[in-house]
Amino acid sequence: MTLYRPVGQPELELIEALGYFPPRLVIQPIFYPVLTFEYAEKIARDWNTKDKFSGNVGYVTEFDVDKAFLDRYPVRDAGGSRYQEYWIPAEELDAFNAHIIGSIRVVAKYEPRSDAV
């Protein structure tokens, strides 16, 4: 199953260095991959580009995960059926990473709009 994850510059650099998603910070108890490119794009474009901790840049990553593994987690609505995601507890991220098939790919990049005030 193909999933998406919006990330900022620091997280992308860790993904590139490690080859998988890095451990969550203490303030990040849940890892949330999303089900559609459009949802990931909205977060990367509308949130990451305005967040200094994301380096004011947003990326959309795409990756494939073993569907049988994902079946243990319910799909969550985060504001309606257009915004669906999985909630993977931080302590289960290693298992999640082990079920990624192939590589994590960057499929889009967003920078702050120059005409934004």
Side-chain angles (χ1 to χ4, degrees):
M1 177 172 194
T2 301
L3 296 176
Y4 303 87
R5 169 94 177 142
V7 300
Q9 188 68 47
E11 187 171 1
L12 180 64
E13 289 172 5
L14 287 171
I15 292 166
E16 291 175 338
L18 299 170
Y20 52 83
F21 291 103
R24 302 291 83 197
L25 301 174
V26 173
I27 61 170
Q28 299 171 314
I30 297 171
F31 174 77
Y32 64 94
V34 304
L35 275 65
T36 65
F37 172 84
E38 292 77 18
Y39 181 24
E41 176 184 48
K42 181 172 181 48
I43 296 167
R45 183 191 61 225
D46 298 347
W47 191 83
N48 291 99
T49 59
K50 297 172 186 161
D51 177 41
K52 68 178 181 177
F53 296 108
S54 294
N56 294 102
V57 63
Y59 297 91
V60 175
T61 61
E62 175 187 79
F63 52 96
D64 300 313
V65 180
D66 176 19
K67 176 72 168 97
F69 174 79
L70 287 175
D71 286 343
R72 68 172 72 176
Y73 304 98
V75 172
R76 309 281 183 142
D77 283 345
S81 61
R82 292 180 44 204
Y83 305 113
Q84 294 186 319
E85 57 195 26
Y86 285 99
W87 291 0
I88 311 299
E91 62 271 11
E92 297 177 29
L93 185 55
D94 286 344
F96 180 88
N97 280 325
H99 286 87
I100 292 176
I101 301 165
S103 62
I104 299 169
R105 306 168 295 280
V106 174
V107 294
K109 177 182 179 181
Y110 302 93
E111 296 180 358
R113 292 180 20 198
S114 60
D115 63 343
V117 176

